[in-house]
Amino acid sequence: MGQYYYIPDPGEQIGNYTPPVMDRLAQLRKNQQVNSQTVQTSTPTAAPPAPPQNSGVIWVSGKEEADKWPIAFGCAVALWDANNPVIYLRQADSTGKPSTKVYDLVERTDNPAHQQAAPQIDWSQFITRDQLEDILAERFKRPAKAAKVKEDTENG
């Protein structure tokens, strides 16, 4: 017959094996999930309908929740508001200082209403450069165009 291999159960420990320790961010997220589940089950009032669960989209219920979202050093995450057309960009710089930017989610259309045709220009209100030079020459009492001086080519 063939060889048989022993595959341990996920919770079973083998020898001196210890499960990997969660990093701080994973611990914070796990605690937040446990805390939010505890709050949801312990409050007797009806909760608002849950937003749709899509992969890669993180839903929050407002800016306060977005501000509390744990974020790792030098990382950023987009958090979608479940109640308003808003996206929060939660990020932390290389020192770990977190910040939250708020972006309004606005639909872009092919024919935006705010773009209108440029107003027609009344060209009769403008003058040409030659007209301006004549006006300035009159004002300053000098010739509009300086006469070209011919060089004397005779050596004499």
Side-chain angles (χ1 to χ4, degrees):
M1 292 214 180
Q3 291 183 335
Y4 293 97
Y5 296 98
Y6 175 72
I7 301 174
D9 289 330
E12 181 180 355
Q13 287 187 345
I14 301 176
N16 293 335
Y17 173 78
T18 56
V21 178
M22 287 190 287
D23 64 349
R24 180 71 178 139
L25 181 59
Q27 290 174 359
L28 288 171
R29 285 192 175 147
K30 182 178 178 186
N31 288 341
Q32 183 178 15
Q33 289 173 352
V34 170
N35 290 342
S36 66
Q37 289 172 356
T38 305
V39 170
Q40 289 175 359
T41 57
S42 65
T43 55
T45 59
Q53 296 296 325
N54 295 336
S55 62
V57 177
I58 302 170
W59 294 94
V60 294
S61 61
K63 184 161 184 343
E64 295 79 23
E65 187 176 342
D67 286 337
K68 293 177 185 174
W69 191 267
I71 189 77
F73 291 70
C75 292
V77 64
L79 306 168
W80 292 67
D81 194 312
N83 305 319
N84 298 307
V86 175
I87 299 172
Y88 305 102
L89 179 63
R90 182 78 170 149
Q91 55 191 9
D93 60 13
S94 60
T95 64
K97 181 180 177 189
S99 64
T100 304
K101 292 181 183 177
V102 182
Y103 295 94
D104 291 321
L105 185 62
V106 180
E107 180 182 6
R108 182 186 298 177
T109 59
D110 289 338
N111 271 335
H114 67 277
Q115 284 186 347
Q116 299 175 355
Q120 295 295 323
I121 298 174
D122 182 12
W123 291 105
S124 66
Q125 300 294 321
F126 296 93
I127 61 173
T128 64
R129 176 170 281 206
D130 290 334
Q131 291 170 332
L132 176 64
E133 287 176 356
D134 291 340
I135 293 168
L136 291 175
E138 178 67 29
R139 224 174 251 177
F140 294 115
K141 301 290 185 208
R142 60 182 169 145
K145 295 180 182 173
K148 293 184 180 179
V149 178
K150 292 185 178 181
E151 287 187 26
D152 188 13
T153 55
E154 296 177 21
N155 292 336

PDB file of all heavy atoms in Angstrom, residues 72-111:
ATOM      1  N   ALA A  72      -1.573  50.712  10.718  1.00  0.00           N
ATOM      2  CA  ALA A  72      -0.156  50.429  10.937  1.00  0.00           C
ATOM      3  C   ALA A  72       0.706  51.582  10.425  1.00  0.00           C
ATOM      4  O   ALA A  72       0.275  52.386   9.606  1.00  0.00           O
ATOM      5  CB  ALA A  72       0.235  49.134  10.232  1.00  0.00           C
ATOM      6  N   PHE A  73       1.939  51.630  10.887  1.00  0.00           N
ATOM      7  CA  PHE A  73       2.894  52.652  10.484  1.00  0.00           C
ATOM      8  C   PHE A  73       3.055  52.650   8.966  1.00  0.00           C
ATOM      9  O   PHE A  73       3.226  51.599   8.360  1.00  0.00           O
ATOM     10  CB  PHE A  73       4.269  52.376  11.104  1.00  0.00           C
ATOM     11  CG  PHE A  73       4.320  52.557  12.580  1.00  0.00           C
ATOM     12  CD1 PHE A  73       3.677  51.684  13.431  1.00  0.00           C
ATOM     13  CD2 PHE A  73       5.021  53.618  13.117  1.00  0.00           C
ATOM     14  CE1 PHE A  73       3.725  51.841  14.792  1.00  0.00           C
ATOM     15  CE2 PHE A  73       5.076  53.790  14.485  1.00  0.00           C
ATOM     16  CZ  PHE A  73       4.428  52.905  15.324  1.00  0.00           C
ATOM     17  N   GLY A  74       2.983  53.829   8.356  1.00  0.00           N
ATOM     18  CA  GLY A  74       3.234  53.961   6.928  1.00  0.00           C
ATOM     19  C   GLY A  74       2.179  53.334   6.035  1.00  0.00           C
ATOM     20  O   GLY A  74       2.430  53.103   4.863  1.00  0.00           O
ATOM     21  N   CYS A  75       0.991  53.067   6.555  1.00  0.00           N
ATOM     22  CA  CYS A  75      -0.061  52.424   5.765  1.00  0.00           C
ATOM     23  C   CYS A  75      -1.251  53.361   5.609  1.00  0.00           C
ATOM     24  O   CYS A  75      -1.361  54.368   6.293  1.00  0.00           O
ATOM     25  CB  CYS A  75      -0.527  51.137   6.429  1.00  0.00           C
ATOM     26  SG  CYS A  75       0.731  49.855   6.423  1.00  0.00           S
ATOM     27  N   ALA A  76      -2.154  53.000   4.688  1.00  0.00           N
ATOM     28  CA  ALA A  76      -3.379  53.758   4.465  1.00  0.00           C
ATOM     29  C   ALA A  76      -4.495  52.788   4.127  1.00  0.00           C
ATOM     30  O   ALA A  76      -4.248  51.712   3.578  1.00  0.00           O
ATOM     31  CB  ALA A  76      -3.202  54.763   3.333  1.00  0.00           C
ATOM     32  N   VAL A  77      -5.722  53.173   4.491  1.00  0.00           N
ATOM     33  CA  VAL A  77      -6.876  52.331   4.195  1.00  0.00           C
ATOM     34  C   VAL A  77      -8.068  53.236   3.885  1.00  0.00           C
ATOM     35  O   VAL A  77      -8.222  54.300   4.489  1.00  0.00           O
ATOM     36  CB  VAL A  77      -7.198  51.361   5.359  1.00  0.00           C
ATOM     37  CG1 VAL A  77      -7.592  52.119   6.607  1.00  0.00           C
ATOM     38  CG2 VAL A  77      -8.273  50.365   4.979  1.00  0.00           C
ATOM     39  N   ALA A  78      -8.873  52.828   2.904  1.00  0.00           N
ATOM     40  CA  ALA A  78     -10.087  53.568   2.555  1.00  0.00           C
ATOM     41  C   ALA A  78     -11.248  52.953   3.326  1.00  0.00           C
ATOM     42  O   ALA A  78     -11.464  51.741   3.286  1.00  0.00           O
ATOM     43  CB  ALA A  78     -10.353  53.493   1.062  1.00  0.00           C
ATOM     44  N   LEU A  79     -11.982  53.794   4.034  1.00  0.00           N
ATOM     45  CA  LEU A  79     -13.126  53.354   4.828  1.00  0.00           C
ATOM     46  C   LEU A  79     -14.383  54.008   4.260  1.00  0.00           C
ATOM     47  O   LEU A  79     -14.454  55.231   4.154  1.00  0.00           O
ATOM     48  CB  LEU A  79     -12.934  53.752   6.300  1.00  0.00           C
ATOM     49  CG  LEU A  79     -11.637  53.280   6.942  1.00  0.00           C
ATOM     50  CD1 LEU A  79     -11.418  53.960   8.278  1.00  0.00           C
ATOM     51  CD2 LEU A  79     -11.648  51.779   7.105  1.00  0.00           C
ATOM     52  N   TRP A  80     -15.366  53.202   3.904  1.00  0.00           N
ATOM     53  CA  TRP A  80     -16.591  53.700   3.283  1.00  0.00           C
ATOM     54  C   TRP A  80     -17.652  53.901   4.354  1.00  0.00           C
ATOM     55  O   TRP A  80     -17.886  53.024   5.181  1.00  0.00           O
ATOM     56  CB  TRP A  80     -17.091  52.690   2.254  1.00  0.00           C
ATOM     57  CG  TRP A  80     -16.183  52.570   1.069  1.00  0.00           C
ATOM     58  CD1 TRP A  80     -14.913  52.067   1.062  1.00  0.00           C
ATOM     59  CD2 TRP A  80     -16.454  52.960  -0.258  1.00  0.00           C
ATOM     60  NE1 TRP A  80     -14.390  52.123  -0.197  1.00  0.00           N
ATOM     61  CE2 TRP A  80     -15.311  52.663  -1.036  1.00  0.00           C
ATOM     62  CE3 TRP A  80     -17.562  53.519  -0.879  1.00  0.00           C
ATOM     63  CZ2 TRP A  80     -15.260  52.919  -2.390  1.00  0.00           C
ATOM     64  CZ3 TRP A  80     -17.497  53.770  -2.235  1.00  0.00           C
ATOM     65  CH2 TRP A  80     -16.352  53.471  -2.970  1.00  0.00           C
ATOM     66  N   ASP A  81     -18.301  55.055   4.337  1.00  0.00           N
ATOM     67  CA  ASP A  81     -19.361  55.356   5.297  1.00  0.00           C
ATOM     68  C   ASP A  81     -20.619  54.611   4.877  1.00  0.00           C
ATOM     69  O   ASP A  81     -21.055  54.705   3.731  1.00  0.00           O
ATOM     70  CB  ASP A  81     -19.614  56.857   5.356  1.00  0.00           C
ATOM     71  CG  ASP A  81     -20.434  57.253   6.562  1.00  0.00           C
ATOM     72  OD1 ASP A  81     -21.482  56.609   6.809  1.00  0.00           O
ATOM     73  OD2 ASP A  81     -20.040  58.199   7.261  1.00  0.00           O
ATOM     74  N   ALA A  82     -21.215  53.885   5.809  1.00  0.00           N
ATOM     75  CA  ALA A  82     -22.405  53.094   5.508  1.00  0.00           C
ATOM     76  C   ALA A  82     -23.659  53.958   5.437  1.00  0.00           C
ATOM     77  O   ALA A  82     -24.663  53.530   4.871  1.00  0.00           O
ATOM     78  CB  ALA A  82     -22.588  52.007   6.570  1.00  0.00           C
ATOM     79  N   ASN A  83     -23.622  55.165   5.998  1.00  0.00           N
ATOM     80  CA  ASN A  83     -24.817  55.993   6.081  1.00  0.00           C
ATOM     81  C   ASN A  83     -24.792  57.214   5.166  1.00  0.00           C
ATOM     82  O   ASN A  83     -25.826  57.818   4.925  1.00  0.00           O
ATOM     83  CB  ASN A  83     -25.010  56.470   7.526  1.00  0.00           C
ATOM     84  CG  ASN A  83     -25.057  55.295   8.491  1.00  0.00           C
ATOM     85  OD1 ASN A  83     -25.657  54.278   8.207  1.00  0.00           O
ATOM     86  ND2 ASN A  83     -24.391  55.433   9.620  1.00  0.00           N
ATOM     87  N   ASN A  84     -23.629  57.619   4.699  1.00  0.00           N
ATOM     88  CA  ASN A  84     -23.488  58.830   3.887  1.00  0.00           C
ATOM     89  C   ASN A  84     -22.576  58.551   2.696  1.00  0.00           C
ATOM     90  O   ASN A  84     -21.747  57.652   2.760  1.00  0.00           O
ATOM     91  CB  ASN A  84     -22.875  59.963   4.724  1.00  0.00           C
ATOM     92  CG  ASN A  84     -23.761  60.326   5.894  1.00  0.00           C
ATOM     93  OD1 ASN A  84     -24.934  60.605   5.726  1.00  0.00           O
ATOM     94  ND2 ASN A  84     -23.197  60.306   7.090  1.00  0.00           N
ATOM     95  N   PRO A  85     -22.690  59.342   1.616  1.00  0.00           N
ATOM     96  CA  PRO A  85     -21.801  59.145   0.461  1.00  0.00           C
ATOM     97  C   PRO A  85     -20.425  59.755   0.722  1.00  0.00           C
ATOM     98  O   PRO A  85     -20.036  60.753   0.130  1.00  0.00           O
ATOM     99  CB  PRO A  85     -22.538  59.854  -0.672  1.00  0.00           C
ATOM    100  CG  PRO A  85     -23.333  60.918   0.012  1.00  0.00           C
ATOM    101  CD  PRO A  85     -23.724  60.346   1.346  1.00  0.00           C
ATOM    102  N   VAL A  86     -19.683  59.149   1.643  1.00  0.00           N
ATOM    103  CA  VAL A  86     -18.396  59.677   2.093  1.00  0.00           C
ATOM    104  C   VAL A  86     -17.396  58.528   2.160  1.00  0.00           C
ATOM    105  O   VAL A  86     -17.740  57.397   2.496  1.00  0.00           O
ATOM    106  CB  VAL A  86     -18.536  60.325   3.494  1.00  0.00           C
ATOM    107  CG1 VAL A  86     -17.195  60.764   4.039  1.00  0.00           C
ATOM    108  CG2 VAL A  86     -19.487  61.505   3.435  1.00  0.00           C
ATOM    109  N   ILE A  87     -16.133  58.839   1.829  1.00  0.00           N
ATOM    110  CA  ILE A  87     -15.044  57.885   1.987  1.00  0.00           C
ATOM    111  C   ILE A  87     -14.004  58.542   2.879  1.00  0.00           C
ATOM    112  O   ILE A  87     -13.643  59.697   2.690  1.00  0.00           O
ATOM    113  CB  ILE A  87     -14.402  57.520   0.634  1.00  0.00           C
ATOM    114  CG1 ILE A  87     -15.449  56.881  -0.276  1.00  0.00           C
ATOM    115  CG2 ILE A  87     -13.213  56.585   0.830  1.00  0.00           C
ATOM    116  CD1 ILE A  87     -14.966  56.657  -1.684  1.00  0.00           C
ATOM    117  N   TYR A  88     -13.548  57.797   3.887  1.00  0.00           N
ATOM    118  CA  TYR A  88     -12.516  58.292   4.798  1.00  0.00           C
ATOM    119  C   TYR A  88     -11.204  57.619   4.429  1.00  0.00           C
ATOM    120  O   TYR A  88     -11.160  56.404   4.259  1.00  0.00           O
ATOM    121  CB  TYR A  88     -12.854  57.956   6.249  1.00  0.00           C
ATOM    122  CG  TYR A  88     -14.214  58.459   6.665  1.00  0.00           C
ATOM    123  CD1 TYR A  88     -15.299  57.598   6.746  1.00  0.00           C
ATOM    124  CD2 TYR A  88     -14.417  59.799   6.962  1.00  0.00           C
ATOM    125  CE1 TYR A  88     -16.547  58.053   7.119  1.00  0.00           C
ATOM    126  CE2 TYR A  88     -15.664  60.265   7.329  1.00  0.00           C
ATOM    127  CZ  TYR A  88     -16.725  59.384   7.410  1.00  0.00           C
ATOM    128  OH  TYR A  88     -17.959  59.848   7.776  1.00  0.00           O
ATOM    129  N   LEU A  89     -10.134  58.409   4.289  1.00  0.00           N
ATOM    130  CA  LEU A  89      -8.814  57.855   4.047  1.00  0.00           C
ATOM    131  C   LEU A  89      -8.061  57.914   5.366  1.00  0.00           C
ATOM    132  O   LEU A  89      -7.681  58.980   5.829  1.00  0.00           O
ATOM    133  CB  LEU A  89      -8.067  58.632   2.960  1.00  0.00           C
ATOM    134  CG  LEU A  89      -6.667  58.123   2.664  1.00  0.00           C
ATOM    135  CD1 LEU A  89      -6.715  56.693   2.133  1.00  0.00           C
ATOM    136  CD2 LEU A  89      -5.970  59.022   1.672  1.00  0.00           C
ATOM    137  N   ARG A  90      -7.896  56.766   5.985  1.00  0.00           N
ATOM    138  CA  ARG A  90      -7.203  56.671   7.280  1.00  0.00           C
ATOM    139  C   ARG A  90      -5.775  56.258   6.971  1.00  0.00           C
ATOM    140  O   ARG A  90      -5.522  55.246   6.316  1.00  0.00           O
ATOM    141  CB  ARG A  90      -7.888  55.625   8.149  1.00  0.00           C
ATOM    142  CG  ARG A  90      -7.304  55.465   9.518  1.00  0.00           C
ATOM    143  CD  ARG A  90      -7.761  56.557  10.418  1.00  0.00           C
ATOM    144  NE  ARG A  90      -7.370  56.227  11.788  1.00  0.00           N
ATOM    145  CZ  ARG A  90      -7.084  57.122  12.681  1.00  0.00           C
ATOM    146  NH1 ARG A  90      -7.196  58.390  12.404  1.00  0.00           N
ATOM    147  NH2 ARG A  90      -6.722  56.760  13.884  1.00  0.00           N
ATOM    148  N   GLN A  91      -4.802  57.049   7.440  1.00  0.00           N
ATOM    149  CA  GLN A  91      -3.407  56.750   7.155  1.00  0.00           C
ATOM    150  C   GLN A  91      -2.545  57.125   8.337  1.00  0.00           C
ATOM    151  O   GLN A  91      -2.934  57.912   9.182  1.00  0.00           O
ATOM    152  CB  GLN A  91      -2.941  57.461   5.885  1.00  0.00           C
ATOM    153  CG  GLN A  91      -3.149  58.953   5.879  1.00  0.00           C
ATOM    154  CD  GLN A  91      -2.911  59.552   4.505  1.00  0.00           C
ATOM    155  OE1 GLN A  91      -2.742  58.849   3.524  1.00  0.00           O
ATOM    156  NE2 GLN A  91      -2.904  60.862   4.438  1.00  0.00           N
ATOM    157  N   ALA A  92      -1.379  56.503   8.392  1.00  0.00           N
ATOM    158  CA  ALA A  92      -0.404  56.800   9.440  1.00  0.00           C
ATOM    159  C   ALA A  92       0.939  57.021   8.768  1.00  0.00           C
ATOM    160  O   ALA A  92       1.325  56.279   7.875  1.00  0.00           O
ATOM    161  CB  ALA A  92      -0.322  55.646  10.441  1.00  0.00           C
ATOM    162  N   ASP A  93       1.647  58.056   9.225  1.00  0.00           N
ATOM    163  CA  ASP A  93       2.957  58.329   8.637  1.00  0.00           C
ATOM    164  C   ASP A  93       3.992  57.362   9.211  1.00  0.00           C
ATOM    165  O   ASP A  93       3.669  56.454   9.969  1.00  0.00           O
ATOM    166  CB  ASP A  93       3.361  59.786   8.838  1.00  0.00           C
ATOM    167  CG  ASP A  93       3.457  60.181  10.300  1.00  0.00           C
ATOM    168  OD1 ASP A  93       3.446  59.290  11.173  1.00  0.00           O
ATOM    169  OD2 ASP A  93       3.554  61.396  10.574  1.00  0.00           O
ATOM    170  N   SER A  94       5.247  57.557   8.846  1.00  0.00           N
ATOM    171  CA  SER A  94       6.298  56.618   9.266  1.00  0.00           C
ATOM    172  C   SER A  94       6.554  56.661  10.766  1.00  0.00           C
ATOM    173  O   SER A  94       7.138  55.734  11.313  1.00  0.00           O
ATOM    174  CB  SER A  94       7.597  56.911   8.506  1.00  0.00           C
ATOM    175  OG  SER A  94       8.016  58.241   8.781  1.00  0.00           O
ATOM    176  N   THR A  95       6.093  57.720  11.434  1.00  0.00           N
ATOM    177  CA  THR A  95       6.248  57.772  12.895  1.00  0.00           C
ATOM    178  C   THR A  95       5.060  57.153  13.600  1.00  0.00           C
ATOM    179  O   THR A  95       5.065  57.030  14.815  1.00  0.00           O
ATOM    180  CB  THR A  95       6.412  59.232  13.380  1.00  0.00           C
ATOM    181  OG1 THR A  95       5.213  59.958  13.077  1.00  0.00           O
ATOM    182  CG2 THR A  95       7.607  59.889  12.727  1.00  0.00           C
ATOM    183  N   GLY A  96       4.016  56.811  12.851  1.00  0.00           N
ATOM    184  CA  GLY A  96       2.845  56.179  13.440  1.00  0.00           C
ATOM    185  C   GLY A  96       1.724  57.147  13.749  1.00  0.00           C
ATOM    186  O   GLY A  96       0.688  56.748  14.273  1.00  0.00           O
ATOM    187  N   LYS A  97       1.896  58.442  13.427  1.00  0.00           N
ATOM    188  CA  LYS A  97       0.859  59.428  13.706  1.00  0.00           C
ATOM    189  C   LYS A  97      -0.287  59.239  12.718  1.00  0.00           C
ATOM    190  O   LYS A  97      -0.119  59.422  11.520  1.00  0.00           O
ATOM    191  CB  LYS A  97       1.420  60.839  13.599  1.00  0.00           C
ATOM    192  CG  LYS A  97       0.394  61.903  13.905  1.00  0.00           C
ATOM    193  CD  LYS A  97       0.980  63.290  13.787  1.00  0.00           C
ATOM    194  CE  LYS A  97      -0.100  64.315  14.021  1.00  0.00           C
ATOM    195  NZ  LYS A  97       0.359  65.659  13.724  1.00  0.00           N
ATOM    196  N   PRO A  98      -1.486  58.900  13.200  1.00  0.00           N
ATOM    197  CA  PRO A  98      -2.610  58.659  12.299  1.00  0.00           C
ATOM    198  C   PRO A  98      -3.325  59.953  11.930  1.00  0.00           C
ATOM    199  O   PRO A  98      -3.299  60.934  12.666  1.00  0.00           O
ATOM    200  CB  PRO A  98      -3.529  57.750  13.125  1.00  0.00           C
ATOM    201  CG  PRO A  98      -3.254  58.146  14.531  1.00  0.00           C
ATOM    202  CD  PRO A  98      -1.796  58.538  14.585  1.00  0.00           C
ATOM    203  N   SER A  99      -3.960  59.936  10.769  1.00  0.00           N
ATOM    204  CA  SER A  99      -4.790  61.058  10.333  1.00  0.00           C
ATOM    205  C   SER A  99      -5.918  60.500   9.477  1.00  0.00           C
ATOM    206  O   SER A  99      -5.817  59.406   8.922  1.00  0.00           O
ATOM    207  CB  SER A  99      -3.974  62.074   9.542  1.00  0.00           C
ATOM    208  OG  SER A  99      -3.499  61.491   8.347  1.00  0.00           O
ATOM    209  N   THR A 100      -6.998  61.272   9.396  1.00  0.00           N
ATOM    210  CA  THR A 100      -8.153  60.866   8.609  1.00  0.00           C
ATOM    211  C   THR A 100      -8.549  62.012   7.695  1.00  0.00           C
ATOM    212  O   THR A 100      -8.763  63.123   8.159  1.00  0.00           O
ATOM    213  CB  THR A 100      -9.347  60.499   9.520  1.00  0.00           C
ATOM    214  OG1 THR A 100      -8.933  59.492  10.441  1.00  0.00           O
ATOM    215  CG2 THR A 100     -10.517  59.995   8.707  1.00  0.00           C
ATOM    216  N   LYS A 101      -8.625  61.736   6.394  1.00  0.00           N
ATOM    217  CA  LYS A 101      -9.107  62.717   5.424  1.00  0.00           C
ATOM    218  C   LYS A 101     -10.488  62.278   4.969  1.00  0.00           C
ATOM    219  O   LYS A 101     -10.751  61.083   4.816  1.00  0.00           O
ATOM    220  CB  LYS A 101      -8.175  62.791   4.214  1.00  0.00           C
ATOM    221  CG  LYS A 101      -6.812  63.366   4.537  1.00  0.00           C
ATOM    222  CD  LYS A 101      -5.966  63.435   3.290  1.00  0.00           C
ATOM    223  CE  LYS A 101      -4.575  63.950   3.603  1.00  0.00           C
ATOM    224  NZ  LYS A 101      -3.721  63.953   2.404  1.00  0.00           N
ATOM    225  N   VAL A 102     -11.368  63.249   4.744  1.00  0.00           N
ATOM    226  CA  VAL A 102     -12.748  62.964   4.358  1.00  0.00           C
ATOM    227  C   VAL A 102     -12.956  63.377   2.909  1.00  0.00           C
ATOM    228  O   VAL A 102     -12.628  64.506   2.533  1.00  0.00           O
ATOM    229  CB  VAL A 102     -13.741  63.719   5.272  1.00  0.00           C
ATOM    230  CG1 VAL A 102     -15.170  63.376   4.895  1.00  0.00           C
ATOM    231  CG2 VAL A 102     -13.481  63.403   6.731  1.00  0.00           C
ATOM    232  N   TYR A 103     -13.489  62.477   2.105  1.00  0.00           N
ATOM    233  CA  TYR A 103     -13.781  62.749   0.704  1.00  0.00           C
ATOM    234  C   TYR A 103     -15.262  62.501   0.445  1.00  0.00           C
ATOM    235  O   TYR A 103     -15.801  61.466   0.853  1.00  0.00           O
ATOM    236  CB  TYR A 103     -12.962  61.846  -0.223  1.00  0.00           C
ATOM    237  CG  TYR A 103     -11.478  62.100  -0.139  1.00  0.00           C
ATOM    238  CD1 TYR A 103     -10.661  61.353   0.700  1.00  0.00           C
ATOM    239  CD2 TYR A 103     -10.894  63.101  -0.902  1.00  0.00           C
ATOM    240  CE1 TYR A 103      -9.300  61.600   0.780  1.00  0.00           C
ATOM    241  CE2 TYR A 103      -9.530  63.350  -0.832  1.00  0.00           C
ATOM    242  CZ  TYR A 103      -8.743  62.594   0.016  1.00  0.00           C
ATOM    243  OH  TYR A 103      -7.397  62.834   0.089  1.00  0.00           O
ATOM    244  N   ASP A 104     -15.920  63.442  -0.231  1.00  0.00           N
ATOM    245  CA  ASP A 104     -17.309  63.250  -0.621  1.00  0.00           C
ATOM    246  C   ASP A 104     -17.352  62.410  -1.882  1.00  0.00           C
ATOM    247  O   ASP A 104     -16.584  62.631  -2.813  1.00  0.00           O
ATOM    248  CB  ASP A 104     -17.994  64.593  -0.869  1.00  0.00           C
ATOM    249  CG  ASP A 104     -18.168  65.381   0.413  1.00  0.00           C
ATOM    250  OD1 ASP A 104     -18.487  64.763   1.443  1.00  0.00           O
ATOM    251  OD2 ASP A 104     -17.980  66.612   0.390  1.00  0.00           O
ATOM    252  N   LEU A 105     -18.267  61.484  -1.922  1.00  0.00           N
ATOM    253  CA  LEU A 105     -18.438  60.621  -3.084  1.00  0.00           C
ATOM    254  C   LEU A 105     -19.489  61.256  -3.985  1.00  0.00           C
ATOM    255  O   LEU A 105     -20.656  61.323  -3.632  1.00  0.00           O
ATOM    256  CB  LEU A 105     -18.877  59.224  -2.641  1.00  0.00           C
ATOM    257  CG  LEU A 105     -18.984  58.172  -3.710  1.00  0.00           C
ATOM    258  CD1 LEU A 105     -17.634  57.932  -4.368  1.00  0.00           C
ATOM    259  CD2 LEU A 105     -19.500  56.878  -3.130  1.00  0.00           C
ATOM    260  N   VAL A 106     -19.065  61.774  -5.126  1.00  0.00           N
ATOM    261  CA  VAL A 106     -19.949  62.479  -6.043  1.00  0.00           C
ATOM    262  C   VAL A 106     -19.875  61.806  -7.399  1.00  0.00           C
ATOM    263  O   VAL A 106     -18.785  61.528  -7.898  1.00  0.00           O
ATOM    264  CB  VAL A 106     -19.543  63.966  -6.164  1.00  0.00           C
ATOM    265  CG1 VAL A 106     -20.465  64.705  -7.113  1.00  0.00           C
ATOM    266  CG2 VAL A 106     -19.536  64.631  -4.806  1.00  0.00           C
ATOM    267  N   GLU A 107     -21.028  61.568  -7.997  1.00  0.00           N
ATOM    268  CA  GLU A 107     -21.075  60.934  -9.308  1.00  0.00           C
ATOM    269  C   GLU A 107     -20.582  61.896 -10.374  1.00  0.00           C
ATOM    270  O   GLU A 107     -20.930  63.074 -10.387  1.00  0.00           O
ATOM    271  CB  GLU A 107     -22.502  60.508  -9.634  1.00  0.00           C
ATOM    272  CG  GLU A 107     -22.631  59.843 -10.981  1.00  0.00           C
ATOM    273  CD  GLU A 107     -24.058  59.458 -11.313  1.00  0.00           C
ATOM    274  OE1 GLU A 107     -24.963  59.799 -10.543  1.00  0.00           O
ATOM    275  OE2 GLU A 107     -24.257  58.812 -12.352  1.00  0.00           O
ATOM    276  N   ARG A 108     -19.774  61.399 -11.268  1.00  0.00           N
ATOM    277  CA  ARG A 108     -19.286  62.184 -12.403  1.00  0.00           C
ATOM    278  C   ARG A 108     -20.150  61.831 -13.607  1.00  0.00           C
ATOM    279  O   ARG A 108     -20.312  60.670 -13.949  1.00  0.00           O
ATOM    280  CB  ARG A 108     -17.833  61.849 -12.699  1.00  0.00           C
ATOM    281  CG  ARG A 108     -17.269  62.676 -13.833  1.00  0.00           C
ATOM    282  CD  ARG A 108     -15.897  62.262 -14.236  1.00  0.00           C
ATOM    283  NE  ARG A 108     -14.966  62.444 -13.143  1.00  0.00           N
ATOM    284  CZ  ARG A 108     -13.694  62.091 -13.221  1.00  0.00           C
ATOM    285  NH1 ARG A 108     -13.223  61.539 -14.321  1.00  0.00           N
ATOM    286  NH2 ARG A 108     -12.896  62.279 -12.204  1.00  0.00           N
ATOM    287  N   THR A 109     -20.694  62.843 -14.254  1.00  0.00           N
ATOM    288  CA  THR A 109     -21.537  62.605 -15.424  1.00  0.00           C
ATOM    289  C   THR A 109     -20.814  63.105 -16.664  1.00  0.00           C
ATOM    290  O   THR A 109     -19.894  63.905 -16.598  1.00  0.00           O
ATOM    291  CB  THR A 109     -22.885  63.334 -15.291  1.00  0.00           C
ATOM    292  OG1 THR A 109     -22.635  64.734 -15.140  1.00  0.00           O
ATOM    293  CG2 THR A 109     -23.656  62.822 -14.086  1.00  0.00           C
ATOM    294  N   ASP A 110     -21.285  62.643 -17.839  1.00  0.00           N
ATOM    295  CA  ASP A 110     -20.660  63.052 -19.096  1.00  0.00           C
ATOM    296  C   ASP A 110     -20.965  64.503 -19.428  1.00  0.00           C
ATOM    297  O   ASP A 110     -20.158  65.199 -20.008  1.00  0.00           O
ATOM    298  CB  ASP A 110     -21.130  62.149 -20.242  1.00  0.00           C
ATOM    299  CG  ASP A 110     -20.553  60.755 -20.117  1.00  0.00           C
ATOM    300  OD1 ASP A 110     -19.515  60.608 -19.449  1.00  0.00           O
ATOM    301  OD2 ASP A 110     -21.146  59.825 -20.669  1.00  0.00           O
ATOM    302  N   ASN A 111     -22.156  64.985 -19.103  1.00  0.00           N
ATOM    303  CA  ASN A 111     -22.548  66.366 -19.360  1.00  0.00           C
ATOM    304  C   ASN A 111     -22.797  67.074 -18.039  1.00  0.00           C
ATOM    305  O   ASN A 111     -23.934  67.219 -17.611  1.00  0.00           O
ATOM    306  CB  ASN A 111     -23.825  66.425 -20.207  1.00  0.00           C
ATOM    307  CG  ASN A 111     -23.532  66.436 -21.670  1.00  0.00           C
ATOM    308  OD1 ASN A 111     -22.459  66.851 -22.074  1.00  0.00           O
ATOM    309  ND2 ASN A 111     -24.487  65.986 -22.469  1.00  0.00           N
TER     310      ASN A 111
END
